Structures are given as C-alpha cells and as structure tokens.
Amino acid sequence: MHTAKRVYLAGPTVFLPNALNEGNVLKKVCAEHGLIGVFPLDELESDVGAQRIFEHNVSCLRGCDVVVADVSPFRGPHVDDGTAFEIGFANAIALPIFAYSRDIRPLARRISAKRGPDRRLRDEQELEVEDFGLNQNLMISCAIAGLFDSAAEAIRAAARKLS
C-alpha cells in the first residue's frame, strides 16, 4: 500500500488574516501532486500559548517527509525568523527543503549597502552584507534543495523528489 508523503508548509502565511484559507490553498496544490500538505495551524487550538505552538510545529515537522518554505522577505529583507528556524530544524533531521519567494533577487541587492575600504559590502551600520549572490543568508540558502518563484513550483519539485 502506497502512503502519501507529507509536506510541511513553512512560512509567514500563518500571520495572514485569512491564514487558514491560504493554508488550504497550499494543501490543495499538494493534493494535486499526490501529497498531504501539513499547515502549521492544522489541528491547533486558536488560544494556545507559545510553547504549545512550538511543540505542535516541531511535532508536525518530525511527521513530514519534506518541507516547502516561503522565504519571501518578511518585515525586512530576510526570511521570517520562525521559518528560518523550521528550515534549520528540517535540515538537522535530514528533510529535503524546497523554498519559494516573491523576491528571488540576491540578498545583497535587497539591502542598502556600499563597498567599504575593505571592498566588502557594508550596510548603514558598517555591518558586512553577505555577497555570495544567494537569495538568503548562506545558512538558509545552502540548506535548501531549490528556490522557486511560486509555491506551486516548489511543491511540484518536492513531489518529483519524493516520487
């Protein structure tokens, strides 16, 4: 008997006013590819505390076969912190990770920076800006198996990986 593979749907979608509806859209795309989408708010009571949400999401991640993560810039040029954690956790437990973003430009092009005397890119606070041509910090970019410009493409790639 063939059991459908489970996809953890990471990303800041959980913060949208219509989060459950958006999660259902992503789950439908998963189903079209023979996958079971697992949205972080699934089976989670609405009035629980932070620790319960953390435990629930970690448990969901452990029960999945792959992660599809929205790494679009969130409240700044970087991926959402929670999504970054989920990517790191998934990498640590050897889950393949496929990402998508509304902005696939290199991170160094999304941060206002100039070349310093040391020829490194520096932001307004003189902090170095990674300039590897990657969409995210190298620790995120190097953990993902592929970056796509839509959730549907990332889910399709995950389905191919799992078939």
Side-chain angles (χ1 to χ4, degrees):
M1 179 175 168
H2 175 69
T3 303
K5 301 292 185 176
R6 297 170 57 84
V7 180
Y8 186 85
L9 300 164
T13 305
V14 298
F15 297 114
L16 295 174
N18 58 346
L20 291 174
N21 289 339
E22 292 297 320
N24 286 334
V25 168
L26 294 171
K27 289 164 60 172
K28 183 178 179 196
V29 175
C30 288
E32 291 168 1
H33 293 282
L35 304 170
I36 297 170
V38 177
F39 191 61
L41 299 179
D42 287 348
E43 300 176 22
L44 187 65
E45 305 82 29
S46 62
D47 59 350
V48 297
Q51 186 65 37
R52 176 67 188 112
I53 294 168
F54 171 82
E55 291 166 359
H56 172 76
N57 292 348
V58 166
S59 176
C60 287
L61 277 160
R62 288 185 188 281
C64 286
D65 302 288
V66 67
V67 171
V68 169
D70 180 353
V71 297
S72 298
F74 182 73
R75 297 181 180 147
H78 299 278
V79 63
D80 162 57
D81 293 347
T83 305
F85 172 85
E86 291 165 331
I87 289 170
F89 188 89
N91 184 68
I93 62 172
L95 294 180
I97 304 154
F98 295 86
Y100 63 97
S101 178
R102 291 182 313 280
D103 188 345
I104 60 172
R105 292 178 299 156
L107 182 61
R109 290 189 47 212
R110 294 198 312 263
I111 298 174
S112 179
K114 293 187 264 183
R115 296 261 172 221
D118 59 1
R119 303 295 306 142
R120 296 178 187 270
L121 277 179
R122 301 276 174 188
D123 68 12
E124 295 166 356
Q125 298 174 0
E126 295 299 317
L127 299 173
E128 184 176 349
V129 175
E130 288 184 3
D131 192 15
F132 296 111
L134 301 171
N135 173 264
Q136 299 291 331
N137 171 283
L138 71 91
M139 297 302 286
I140 299 295
S141 290
C142 293
I144 62 175
L147 176 66
F148 303 89
D149 61 10
S150 74
E153 288 181 39
I155 292 167
R156 190 175 316 115
R160 282 193 303 269
K161 170 75 175 174
L162 294 172
S163 62

